[in-house]
Amino acid sequence: MHYGFIGLGNLGANLAASLLAAGFKVSVHDLDRSSAKALEAKGAAWAESPAALAEGKDAVITCLPSPAVSETILAQILPAMHLGATWIEMSTLGKAEILRLAAEAAAKGVETLELPVTGGVHLAASGQITMLAGGPEAVFRKHRPALEAMGGEIFHMGPLGNASLIKVITNMLAFVHLQATSEALMLAKRGGLDLAQSWAAIKASSGTSFVHETEGQLILNGSYDVAFSMDLALKDLGFAMEFGAEHEVPLTLAGATQQIYRSARAAYGGQAQSPMIAKLLEDLLGTPLRAEGFPARLE
């Protein structure tokens, strides 16, 4: 299999590197040529345009920041893709969007597999990120070796559209948990507890969460650097609220969390790190949440 990979940001570069490490032939493209240098050193071929990248590839993987960018790139790669090739979309899209774009691909004889991931950039770097696939079983089986090279646990959620829903659900939970751990750490701090010990006690308790154990460390370090922006968080929370309306599920906590993120974006900007919602509470109370021994980035 020869894979093309478009989108070499924090997530995409690590995923493409995992494909190369597993022995797959990989060609890459990004708006920023410098983002491909490390991959080229590992054996990736550079393509000057999305269309050039798509020519002759068994599959083209896209890992992009927004549905609008995905649609633009798909329009460029489809004319160059051969019949029976696969578009693997790793960007987070709404269900209606992935179904509409997959129909455009099908009209050109190109199959689609949606493949959002969850767990964080640090797990992508180690090849252990969770992969959520949606699409025909035969297409999933055909590309499963590549999925196993890039990720850890792999879930085939069923037909196209299902993976987009579960990805939004997992992100929604992560953002709610992030606000919860921010409040918990602040209560510990204002209550006079040692923050490092409190973090460890929560981690060992029934109240722990993946977010507390990972992003909670970045809050205590003060870097907040999870490589995921306020804008991206609000995009995903917007999808969650749309799904809630579609399926008539009142998403009370998600709605409140969305408002907190809007406040944080207004305060710190759309490109600020998403765990900086904790900083809203820190600034409001004039109480920094800091403790020694916690990393600036997750490994």
Side-chain angles (χ1 to χ4, degrees):
M1 287 281 184
H2 188 172
Y3 287 87
F5 205 112
I6 301 176
L8 306 177
N10 291 315
L11 185 62
N14 284 311
L15 295 169
S18 291
L19 281 176
L20 287 165
F24 288 95
K25 191 175 182 182
V26 180
S27 297
V28 296
H29 177 78
D30 191 274
L31 283 176
D32 179 8
R33 173 68 191 269
S34 66
S35 65
K37 294 300 183 183
L39 293 169
E40 289 181 88
K42 295 175 182 178
W46 171 258
E48 290 295 336
S49 68
L53 177 135
E55 291 178 2
K57 304 305 183 296
D58 297 293
V60 175
I61 301 171
T62 50
C63 189
L64 301 165
S66 73
V69 176
S70 291
E71 184 167 8
T72 297
I73 293 299
L74 183 64
Q76 296 177 46
I77 64 176
L78 277 181
M81 295 178 74
H82 63 73
L83 292 176
T86 307
W87 172 44
I88 301 177
E89 171 61 304
M90 303 191 77
S91 319
T92 301
L93 304 184
K95 183 175 182 177
E97 288 165 323
I98 189 64
L99 292 177
R100 176 174 60 83
L101 296 178
E104 294 180 12
K108 299 288 188 179
V110 172
E111 300 169 321
T112 299
L113 185 70
E114 58 172 340
L115 190 65
V117 297
T118 185
V121 171
H122 66 293
L123 291 182
S126 63
Q128 293 301 309
I129 201 163
T130 298
M131 316 208 89
L132 307 168
E137 177 71 28
V139 179
F140 171 72
R141 287 199 308 269
K142 178 165 61 175
H143 296 289
R144 178 152 192 150
L147 273 57
E148 291 174 345
M150 291 187 287
E153 291 195 78
I154 300 167
F155 297 91
H156 183 217
M157 300 303 300
L160 282 170
N162 283 13
S164 65
L165 176 55
I166 191 62
K167 170 60 188 296
V168 165
I169 289 170
T170 64
N171 277 12
M172 177 187 75
L173 282 168
F175 304 137
V176 170
H177 290 168
L178 184 56
Q179 177 62 16
T181 204
S182 301
E183 293 179 10
L185 291 171
M186 182 58 73
L187 184 56
K189 174 69 174 180
R190 300 274 286 195
L193 301 181
D194 178 272
L195 272 182
Q197 188 179 47
S198 297
W199 177 86
I202 294 169
K203 180 176 181 291
S205 78
S206 59
T208 194
S209 67
F210 177 85
V211 169
H212 172 76
E213 296 177 17
T214 55
E215 296 181 38
Q217 297 189 67
L218 305 179
I219 293 170
L220 294 177
N221 173 273
S223 76
Y224 310 100
D225 189 2
V226 74
F228 198 85
S229 71
M230 294 287 180
D231 281 343
L232 291 175
L234 279 165
K235 179 193 73 171
D236 291 349
L237 283 165
F239 283 140
M241 300 310 293
E242 289 173 9
F243 279 127
E246 177 184 350
H247 300 293
E248 298 187 346
V249 177
L251 301 177
T252 307
L253 289 176
T257 304
Q258 183 184 46
Q259 295 308 311
I260 293 167
Y261 268 98
R262 284 177 175 159
S263 296
R265 181 171 65 181
Y268 309 121
Q271 292 308 302
Q273 296 292 315
S274 60
M276 287 180 71
I277 61 167
K279 195 173 188 305
L280 277 179
L281 198 54
E282 295 176 86
D283 290 348
L284 176 66
L285 299 177
T287 305
L289 297 172
R290 300 293 174 268
E292 296 293 327
F294 291 91
R297 296 290 298 267
L298 298 171
E299 299 293 339

